Amino acid sequence: MDPRLNALRISLLYLVLASLWMLLGDHWLQMVFTEPAQLLRWTTARTLALLGGSALLLFLLLHWQFRRHHVTVNALADHGERLSRALNAVEDGVWDWDLRTHRVYYSPGYANLIGLPCEHLSDDFLLWENRLHPEDRNAILAACKDHIDGLNDQLDCVYRILHSDGGYRWIHARGRVERDASGEALRMTGVSRDITRQRSNEDHLRQAAAVFEATQEGLLVTDSRGIIVHTNPSFSRITGYQADDVLGGQPSILKSGRQDTAFYRRMWETLLRDGVWSGEIWNRRKSGEVYPQWQHIRAVRNDQDQLTHYVAVFSDLSSLKRSQHELDFLAHHDPLTGLPNRLLLRERIEQALARAEREQGGGALLVIDLDHFKHINDSLGHSTGDLLIKAVAERLQDCLDERCALARLGGDEFAVILESRQQQHASSLAQRLLEAMNAAFEVDEQTIYMSVSLGVSLFPEDASNVDHLMQHADAALFQAKASGRSLYAFYTPELTARARSHVQVEAALRHALDHDELRIYFQPVHDLASGRMVGVESLVRWQHPQRGLVPPSEFIPVAEESGLITALDTWMLDQACRQMRAWLDAGISLDFIAVNVSSRLFSRGGLEERVALALEQSDLAPHHLELEITESAVMQNFDQALELLCQLRLLGVQLAIDDFGTGYSSLMRLKRMPVHKLKIDQGFVAGLPDDAEDAAIACAVVALGQSMGLQVVAEGIECPDQAAFLLTHACDFGQGYWYGKPQPAQSLLANLPRNPT
Ligand code: C2E
Ligand code: MG
Ligand code: MG
């Protein structure tokens, strides 16, 4: 009730009662007391009574009012104190925004929310607004406005606010507007709560759920009794079971039966003891396929440490196992031939060495290198080269028995590890492998002849570890190559030293080529019948600053291996042509000058151009130049050699087969070769005239030459008997120390036949 109305009522009531008292009192006194003095006394008494009553009434009213006021004030104070205690106690921030003045009351909790000391709180609206996250600011202000405009029942929004530590806090604010009777918004009061932790928990939960759904690992959750309560999509992908198939069931549905009960017992023991178990396990898919998986199971406990769930995470290992197997195979095998590679060979050697030590056994490592394989690649292309490598691998494999293992070391190198105590097994195997190469290879519609060289290192004699064994076999291989290829050689300690010196010789030879240390020597060739010197053979020498004159046998193999032979032979060719031109110009009557052509150079290509250039630059007629090609070089790759010989012949130069008798030429092939001369190898001349075998060979070569219309030269004649024997058997020319040693042009000069002037 309106307090003013109440006061008015009471006052009016008092006025009426006081007036009645006065009026009725006057009337009654006048009736009772007629005497004026008495009447006056009673009238005064009545007035005093009225005053006394009024004072009493006033007292009572004031007393009642003051008491009420006191009670109210006390109640308000109590209430205020309780409210402030409550506001202090709650972590939430309470705010009260006066929409007309834009002053805001922030509770102490609010100060806490934004990290401000309470005393720094003001009632400024900007205290809040300025702290809003720029990305949230517009949205939250719009939400406030909507609510003030009456579009929403209440303000309910989430936003970020700047904390004094520089970071942002997530706030959940709820508030409501208070309006006057006309509906105008007066104030908005509300509560703000820091939900940062809750948000991050939610984020984590959301992320965990996303991981759970998206992970490649299968997930299976059971309750404490082992009943499946949850699976993820990868579970279905891996096992083939949809969630509905398994929910409520037991994981044993996945059992493959590959593991025995002892396995599962151990798994459960570990799980119960440690709370986790990891391991490989074979399961069965819905399709029935059994597959390996890597599984991790964890027991989950609640806050009271009671077991609530088991979570199993697993990944399918089948493709990994497959690719591991493939990778393992690739890492240990040569892709072209499928043979074990160097890595696997090393492992096998290690095993063989260990076995040999254990069982007092032994064996050999044979390193096999294809002779001149590079030329095949260069001339016929790499794909033909690859096919040839495969064919060679097959042929080598055919020669092996169960004591041997073949590997490809790379390029044109193979190796065989042989486990046998008997040394002759190694040499007979080496011989077998060499002979296996005799037959031609039919590759890519081409006939290719291929020889191999072998280096053999024995264990435990030569080496007791893999590295040494391989190094020694390599050294032996080098020796085999240096001795003329298509051979095998065993390792001896000197070989290692020789291999080392090879490297040094190569460097020195390079230096020699650059610093004019090479010399050209000439050895006369005589007509046996007339005794006349008809030509010379050019032979290279190395004028070494310390070692003196070095014979070609010591550096030609190195030059061939390193490729320096091209430069060397080109140099010799140029020098020889120039010298011949000079001699001819000086009136010396020589028919030819012979130049040796390395088999390497011979099959490398470009020889024809080089010869033509040398002739042109020296202005020498081609028929004065004779090229000596060794028999083995021609036979190694006959078809290619034949083509080149034809081209050289077209140039007009003379062609001779050097060291004839050592290269196993077939008559069929010899017949097709467009050459002019055969040079009987000095090995067959040495035994003449007494050695019957040498004599037979020498005679056969001469007869062969004659029958084919070829001239025959005998090399290495050291005594007149040899010359006489050869003349008797119609050999055309002779060369050897008896006629003259290889010497520089200058010292040869005196003996050179001059044209009659
Ligand atoms: P080759 O072409 O068969 O040369 C003949 C070799 O026999 C020469 O050895 C020569 O000195 C030697 N000789 C000649 N007459 C006699 C003799 O009566 N008794 C003995 N015991 N030996 C005699 P050299 O000069 O040491 O050459 C050896 C081999 O080196 C040559 O054999 C040839 O294949 C190669 N060679 C030499 N010079 C060159 C060259 O410039 N380029 C190439 N690629 N190879 C060369
Ligand atoms: Mg020669
Ligand atoms: Mg010779």
Short mmCIF file of all heavy atoms in Angstrom, two decimals, residues 97-139:
data_model
loop_
_atom_site.label_atom_id
_atom_site.label_comp_id
_atom_site.label_asym_id
_atom_site.label_seq_id
_atom_site.Cartn_x
_atom_site.Cartn_y
_atom_site.Cartn_z
N TRP A 97 24.45 -3.62 -15.34
CA TRP A 97 24.76 -2.57 -16.32
C TRP A 97 23.59 -1.60 -16.38
O TRP A 97 22.49 -1.98 -16.78
CB TRP A 97 25.01 -3.29 -17.66
CG TRP A 97 25.21 -2.43 -18.85
CD1 TRP A 97 25.52 -1.11 -18.89
CD2 TRP A 97 25.13 -2.85 -20.22
NE1 TRP A 97 25.65 -0.68 -20.16
CE2 TRP A 97 25.42 -1.74 -21.02
CE3 TRP A 97 24.86 -4.08 -20.84
CZ2 TRP A 97 25.41 -1.80 -22.41
CZ3 TRP A 97 24.86 -4.13 -22.21
CH2 TRP A 97 25.13 -2.99 -22.99
N ASP A 98 23.86 -0.38 -15.98
CA ASP A 98 22.82 0.65 -16.07
C ASP A 98 22.81 1.17 -17.49
O ASP A 98 23.76 1.80 -17.95
CB ASP A 98 23.16 1.78 -15.08
CG ASP A 98 22.02 2.77 -15.00
OD1 ASP A 98 21.37 2.99 -16.03
OD2 ASP A 98 21.79 3.30 -13.89
N LEU A 99 21.71 0.88 -18.17
CA LEU A 99 21.70 1.16 -19.60
C LEU A 99 21.55 2.65 -19.89
O LEU A 99 21.81 3.08 -21.01
CB LEU A 99 20.57 0.37 -20.29
CG LEU A 99 20.73 -1.15 -20.20
CD1 LEU A 99 19.49 -1.87 -20.69
CD2 LEU A 99 21.93 -1.60 -21.03
N ARG A 100 21.12 3.40 -18.88
CA ARG A 100 20.97 4.83 -19.15
C ARG A 100 22.27 5.57 -18.92
O ARG A 100 22.63 6.46 -19.68
CB ARG A 100 19.86 5.40 -18.25
CG ARG A 100 18.47 5.01 -18.76
CD ARG A 100 17.41 5.21 -17.74
NE ARG A 100 17.73 4.50 -16.51
CZ ARG A 100 16.90 4.40 -15.48
NH1 ARG A 100 15.72 4.97 -15.50
NH2 ARG A 100 17.25 3.73 -14.41
N THR A 101 23.00 5.16 -17.88
CA THR A 101 24.25 5.88 -17.58
C THR A 101 25.47 5.17 -18.15
O THR A 101 26.56 5.73 -18.18
CB THR A 101 24.44 5.99 -16.07
OG1 THR A 101 24.51 4.65 -15.55
CG2 THR A 101 23.29 6.73 -15.41
N HIS A 102 25.26 3.94 -18.59
CA HIS A 102 26.38 3.10 -19.05
C HIS A 102 27.41 2.87 -17.97
O HIS A 102 28.60 2.69 -18.25
CB HIS A 102 27.05 3.69 -20.30
CG HIS A 102 26.39 3.20 -21.57
ND1 HIS A 102 26.33 1.88 -21.93
CD2 HIS A 102 25.72 3.88 -22.52
CE1 HIS A 102 25.66 1.75 -23.03
NE2 HIS A 102 25.27 2.96 -23.43
N ARG A 103 26.96 2.90 -16.76
CA ARG A 103 27.83 2.54 -15.64
C ARG A 103 27.55 1.06 -15.34
O ARG A 103 26.40 0.61 -15.47
CB ARG A 103 27.50 3.37 -14.39
CG ARG A 103 27.77 4.85 -14.52
CD ARG A 103 29.25 5.13 -14.41
NE ARG A 103 29.70 5.95 -15.52
CZ ARG A 103 30.96 6.00 -15.94
NH1 ARG A 103 31.87 5.24 -15.38
NH2 ARG A 103 31.32 6.78 -16.93
N VAL A 104 28.58 0.38 -14.97
CA VAL A 104 28.40 -1.06 -14.74
C VAL A 104 28.95 -1.41 -13.36
O VAL A 104 30.03 -0.96 -12.98
CB VAL A 104 29.17 -1.89 -15.79
CG1 VAL A 104 28.86 -3.37 -15.62
CG2 VAL A 104 28.80 -1.45 -17.20
N TYR A 105 28.18 -2.18 -12.66
CA TYR A 105 28.72 -2.73 -11.41
C TYR A 105 29.31 -4.10 -11.75
O TYR A 105 28.65 -4.94 -12.35
CB TYR A 105 27.60 -2.88 -10.36
CG TYR A 105 28.03 -3.83 -9.26
CD1 TYR A 105 28.91 -3.39 -8.25
CD2 TYR A 105 27.60 -5.15 -9.24
CE1 TYR A 105 29.33 -4.27 -7.27
CE2 TYR A 105 28.02 -6.03 -8.26
CZ TYR A 105 28.89 -5.58 -7.27
OH TYR A 105 29.33 -6.45 -6.32
N TYR A 106 30.63 -4.30 -11.41
CA TYR A 106 31.27 -5.59 -11.60
C TYR A 106 31.53 -6.17 -10.23
O TYR A 106 32.10 -5.50 -9.36
CB TYR A 106 32.62 -5.45 -12.31
CG TYR A 106 32.55 -4.80 -13.67
CD1 TYR A 106 32.89 -3.46 -13.84
CD2 TYR A 106 32.15 -5.53 -14.78
CE1 TYR A 106 32.84 -2.86 -15.08
CE2 TYR A 106 32.11 -4.93 -16.05
CZ TYR A 106 32.45 -3.60 -16.19
OH TYR A 106 32.41 -3.03 -17.42
N SER A 107 31.19 -7.40 -10.05
CA SER A 107 31.41 -8.02 -8.75
C SER A 107 32.89 -8.39 -8.60
O SER A 107 33.61 -8.45 -9.60
CB SER A 107 30.57 -9.28 -8.62
OG SER A 107 31.14 -10.29 -9.41
N PRO A 108 33.35 -8.66 -7.36
CA PRO A 108 34.76 -9.07 -7.19
C PRO A 108 35.09 -10.30 -8.04
O PRO A 108 36.19 -10.44 -8.55
CB PRO A 108 34.85 -9.40 -5.70
CG PRO A 108 33.75 -8.62 -5.07
CD PRO A 108 32.65 -8.53 -6.08
N GLY A 109 34.11 -11.17 -8.17
CA GLY A 109 34.32 -12.37 -9.00
C GLY A 109 34.68 -11.98 -10.42
O GLY A 109 35.45 -12.66 -11.10
N TYR A 110 34.11 -10.87 -10.86
CA TYR A 110 34.38 -10.44 -12.23
C TYR A 110 35.83 -10.00 -12.36
O TYR A 110 36.50 -10.29 -13.36
CB TYR A 110 33.44 -9.28 -12.61
CG TYR A 110 33.24 -9.23 -14.09
CD1 TYR A 110 32.12 -9.84 -14.66
CD2 TYR A 110 34.17 -8.65 -14.93
CE1 TYR A 110 31.95 -9.85 -16.04
CE2 TYR A 110 34.01 -8.66 -16.29
CZ TYR A 110 32.89 -9.25 -16.85
OH TYR A 110 32.72 -9.28 -18.20
N ALA A 111 36.32 -9.33 -11.30
CA ALA A 111 37.72 -8.90 -11.30
C ALA A 111 38.61 -10.13 -11.43
O ALA A 111 39.59 -10.15 -12.17
CB ALA A 111 38.02 -8.16 -10.00
N ASN A 112 38.22 -11.16 -10.71
CA ASN A 112 38.95 -12.41 -10.75
C ASN A 112 38.98 -13.00 -12.15
O ASN A 112 39.98 -13.51 -12.63
CB ASN A 112 38.24 -13.37 -9.79
CG ASN A 112 39.24 -14.26 -9.14
OD1 ASN A 112 40.42 -13.93 -9.16
ND2 ASN A 112 38.78 -15.36 -8.59
N LEU A 113 37.82 -12.89 -12.79
CA LEU A 113 37.64 -13.46 -14.12
C LEU A 113 38.63 -12.88 -15.13
O LEU A 113 39.16 -13.58 -15.98
CB LEU A 113 36.21 -13.11 -14.57
CG LEU A 113 35.43 -14.10 -15.36
CD1 LEU A 113 35.23 -15.36 -14.55
CD2 LEU A 113 34.07 -13.49 -15.70
N ILE A 114 38.88 -11.58 -15.01
CA ILE A 114 39.76 -10.93 -15.98
C ILE A 114 41.13 -10.64 -15.38
O ILE A 114 41.95 -9.95 -15.98
CB ILE A 114 39.13 -9.64 -16.53
CG1 ILE A 114 38.73 -8.71 -15.40
CG2 ILE A 114 37.94 -9.95 -17.40
CD1 ILE A 114 38.17 -7.37 -15.89
N GLY A 115 41.35 -11.17 -14.17
CA GLY A 115 42.68 -11.08 -13.58
C GLY A 115 43.04 -9.71 -13.05
O GLY A 115 44.22 -9.35 -13.05
N LEU A 116 42.04 -8.93 -12.63
CA LEU A 116 42.33 -7.60 -12.09
C LEU A 116 42.17 -7.63 -10.58
O LEU A 116 41.27 -8.28 -10.07
CB LEU A 116 41.31 -6.59 -12.64
CG LEU A 116 41.61 -5.88 -13.96
CD1 LEU A 116 40.55 -4.83 -14.20
CD2 LEU A 116 42.98 -5.25 -13.94
N PRO A 117 43.02 -6.91 -9.83
CA PRO A 117 42.76 -6.77 -8.40
C PRO A 117 41.44 -6.01 -8.22
O PRO A 117 41.13 -5.11 -9.02
CB PRO A 117 43.92 -5.93 -7.89
CG PRO A 117 44.92 -5.90 -9.00
CD PRO A 117 44.21 -6.18 -10.26
N CYS A 118 40.69 -6.36 -7.17
CA CYS A 118 39.36 -5.77 -6.98
C CYS A 118 39.41 -4.25 -6.99
O CYS A 118 38.54 -3.59 -7.57
CB CYS A 118 38.76 -6.22 -5.65
SG CYS A 118 38.23 -7.91 -5.74
N GLU A 119 40.51 -3.72 -6.40
CA GLU A 119 40.54 -2.26 -6.26
C GLU A 119 40.73 -1.57 -7.61
O GLU A 119 40.51 -0.38 -7.73
CB GLU A 119 41.60 -1.82 -5.25
CG GLU A 119 43.00 -2.34 -5.50
CD GLU A 119 43.25 -3.72 -4.90
OE1 GLU A 119 42.27 -4.45 -4.65
OE2 GLU A 119 44.42 -4.08 -4.70
N HIS A 120 41.12 -2.33 -8.62
CA HIS A 120 41.29 -1.72 -9.95
C HIS A 120 40.01 -1.74 -10.76
O HIS A 120 39.99 -1.28 -11.90
CB HIS A 120 42.40 -2.43 -10.73
CG HIS A 120 43.77 -2.14 -10.20
ND1 HIS A 120 44.93 -2.52 -10.82
CD2 HIS A 120 44.14 -1.50 -9.06
CE1 HIS A 120 45.96 -2.15 -10.09
NE2 HIS A 120 45.49 -1.51 -9.01
N LEU A 121 38.99 -2.37 -10.22
CA LEU A 121 37.72 -2.42 -10.94
C LEU A 121 37.11 -1.02 -10.96
O LEU A 121 37.15 -0.31 -9.97
CB LEU A 121 36.74 -3.35 -10.23
CG LEU A 121 36.80 -4.83 -10.55
CD1 LEU A 121 35.73 -5.55 -9.75
CD2 LEU A 121 36.58 -5.05 -12.04
N SER A 122 36.57 -0.62 -12.09
CA SER A 122 35.83 0.64 -12.11
C SER A 122 34.40 0.31 -12.53
O SER A 122 34.06 -0.87 -12.68
CB SER A 122 36.48 1.59 -13.11
OG SER A 122 36.25 1.10 -14.41
N ASP A 123 33.62 1.31 -12.72
CA ASP A 123 32.26 1.03 -13.19
C ASP A 123 32.11 1.42 -14.64
O ASP A 123 31.04 1.74 -15.11
CB ASP A 123 31.22 1.74 -12.30
CG ASP A 123 31.44 3.26 -12.32
OD1 ASP A 123 32.43 3.71 -12.97
OD2 ASP A 123 30.62 3.97 -11.71
N ASP A 124 33.25 1.36 -15.34
CA ASP A 124 33.25 1.80 -16.72
C ASP A 124 32.83 0.64 -17.64
O ASP A 124 33.37 -0.47 -17.54
CB ASP A 124 34.68 2.25 -17.08
CG ASP A 124 34.71 3.02 -18.37
OD1 ASP A 124 33.69 2.96 -19.10
OD2 ASP A 124 35.73 3.67 -18.64
N PHE A 125 31.90 0.94 -18.52
CA PHE A 125 31.45 -0.07 -19.49
C PHE A 125 32.63 -0.54 -20.36
O PHE A 125 32.73 -1.70 -20.75
CB PHE A 125 30.35 0.55 -20.36
CG PHE A 125 29.84 -0.38 -21.42
CD1 PHE A 125 29.06 -1.48 -21.08
CD2 PHE A 125 30.15 -0.18 -22.77
CE1 PHE A 125 28.58 -2.34 -22.07
CE2 PHE A 125 29.69 -1.04 -23.74
CZ PHE A 125 28.89 -2.11 -23.39
N LEU A 126 33.57 0.43 -20.64
CA LEU A 126 34.69 0.11 -21.52
C LEU A 126 35.64 -0.92 -20.91
O LEU A 126 36.38 -1.59 -21.62
CB LEU A 126 35.47 1.38 -21.86
CG LEU A 126 34.70 2.37 -22.73
CD1 LEU A 126 35.52 3.63 -22.95
CD2 LEU A 126 34.35 1.74 -24.08
N LEU A 127 35.62 -0.99 -19.58
CA LEU A 127 36.45 -2.00 -18.91
C LEU A 127 36.17 -3.38 -19.50
O LEU A 127 37.05 -4.21 -19.69
CB LEU A 127 36.15 -2.01 -17.41
CG LEU A 127 36.90 -3.06 -16.60
CD1 LEU A 127 38.31 -2.58 -16.30
CD2 LEU A 127 36.18 -3.37 -15.31
N TRP A 128 34.90 -3.59 -19.83
CA TRP A 128 34.49 -4.86 -20.43
C TRP A 128 34.66 -4.83 -21.93
O TRP A 128 35.30 -5.70 -22.52
CB TRP A 128 33.02 -5.11 -20.04
CG TRP A 128 32.42 -6.30 -20.72
CD1 TRP A 128 32.67 -7.60 -20.44
CD2 TRP A 128 31.49 -6.28 -21.80
NE1 TRP A 128 31.93 -8.41 -21.24
CE2 TRP A 128 31.19 -7.63 -22.10
CE3 TRP A 128 30.85 -5.27 -22.52
CZ2 TRP A 128 30.29 -7.97 -23.11
CZ3 TRP A 128 29.95 -5.63 -23.51
CH2 TRP A 128 29.68 -6.96 -23.81
N GLU A 129 34.15 -3.77 -22.54
CA GLU A 129 34.09 -3.74 -24.00
C GLU A 129 35.49 -3.78 -24.63
O GLU A 129 35.73 -4.49 -25.60
CB GLU A 129 33.35 -2.49 -24.48
CG GLU A 129 33.01 -2.58 -25.96
CD GLU A 129 32.49 -1.28 -26.54
OE1 GLU A 129 32.10 -0.39 -25.75
OE2 GLU A 129 32.46 -1.17 -27.77
N ASN A 130 36.42 -3.04 -24.00
CA ASN A 130 37.76 -2.98 -24.58
C ASN A 130 38.51 -4.30 -24.49
O ASN A 130 39.54 -4.48 -25.12
CB ASN A 130 38.59 -1.89 -23.88
CG ASN A 130 38.15 -0.52 -24.32
OD1 ASN A 130 37.42 -0.39 -25.31
ND2 ASN A 130 38.55 0.50 -23.57
N ARG A 131 38.01 -5.19 -23.64
CA ARG A 131 38.70 -6.45 -23.46
C ARG A 131 38.15 -7.57 -24.33
O ARG A 131 38.66 -8.69 -24.31
CB ARG A 131 38.63 -6.90 -21.99
CG ARG A 131 39.54 -6.12 -21.11
CD ARG A 131 39.34 -6.43 -19.67
NE ARG A 131 40.35 -5.73 -18.90
CZ ARG A 131 41.50 -6.26 -18.51
NH1 ARG A 131 41.75 -7.51 -18.76
NH2 ARG A 131 42.38 -5.56 -17.85
N LEU A 132 37.14 -7.25 -25.11
CA LEU A 132 36.54 -8.32 -25.93
C LEU A 132 37.51 -8.73 -27.03
O LEU A 132 38.24 -7.91 -27.58
CB LEU A 132 35.25 -7.81 -26.57
CG LEU A 132 34.10 -7.58 -25.60
CD1 LEU A 132 32.91 -6.98 -26.32
CD2 LEU A 132 33.70 -8.89 -24.93
N HIS A 133 37.49 -10.02 -27.34
CA HIS A 133 38.34 -10.53 -28.43
C HIS A 133 37.82 -9.92 -29.74
O HIS A 133 36.62 -9.91 -29.99
CB HIS A 133 38.23 -12.06 -28.49
CG HIS A 133 39.27 -12.67 -29.38
ND1 HIS A 133 39.22 -12.59 -30.74
CD2 HIS A 133 40.40 -13.36 -29.08
CE1 HIS A 133 40.25 -13.21 -31.26
NE2 HIS A 133 40.99 -13.69 -30.26
N PRO A 134 38.75 -9.39 -30.56
CA PRO A 134 38.30 -8.71 -31.79
C PRO A 134 37.36 -9.58 -32.64
O PRO A 134 36.44 -9.06 -33.27
CB PRO A 134 39.60 -8.44 -32.54
CG PRO A 134 40.67 -8.52 -31.53
CD PRO A 134 40.20 -9.37 -30.40
N GLU A 135 37.61 -10.90 -32.61
CA GLU A 135 36.76 -11.75 -33.46
C GLU A 135 35.36 -11.93 -32.88
O GLU A 135 34.43 -12.28 -33.61
CB GLU A 135 37.40 -13.15 -33.60
CG GLU A 135 38.60 -13.15 -34.53
CD GLU A 135 39.31 -14.50 -34.52
OE1 GLU A 135 38.73 -15.48 -34.02
OE2 GLU A 135 40.45 -14.54 -34.99
N ASP A 136 35.23 -11.74 -31.57
CA ASP A 136 33.93 -11.99 -30.94
C ASP A 136 33.13 -10.70 -30.68
O ASP A 136 31.94 -10.74 -30.42
CB ASP A 136 34.12 -12.69 -29.59
CG ASP A 136 34.87 -14.00 -29.76
OD1 ASP A 136 34.89 -14.50 -30.89
OD2 ASP A 136 35.43 -14.49 -28.77
N ARG A 137 33.85 -9.60 -30.73
CA ARG A 137 33.30 -8.31 -30.30
C ARG A 137 31.96 -7.99 -30.96
O ARG A 137 30.95 -7.74 -30.27
CB ARG A 137 34.35 -7.25 -30.64
CG ARG A 137 34.07 -5.90 -30.17
CD ARG A 137 35.13 -4.97 -30.78
NE ARG A 137 34.58 -3.65 -30.83
CZ ARG A 137 34.57 -2.81 -29.80
NH1 ARG A 137 35.12 -3.18 -28.68
NH2 ARG A 137 34.00 -1.63 -29.90
N ASN A 138 31.93 -8.03 -32.29
CA ASN A 138 30.69 -7.63 -32.98
C ASN A 138 29.54 -8.53 -32.61
O ASN A 138 28.41 -8.08 -32.38
CB ASN A 138 30.91 -7.65 -34.50
CG ASN A 138 31.83 -6.51 -34.90
OD1 ASN A 138 32.02 -5.57 -34.12
ND2 ASN A 138 32.40 -6.60 -36.09
N ALA A 139 29.83 -9.82 -32.53
CA ALA A 139 28.75 -10.77 -32.26
C ALA A 139 28.16 -10.54 -30.88
O ALA A 139 26.92 -10.53 -30.70
CB ALA A 139 29.28 -12.19 -32.38
#
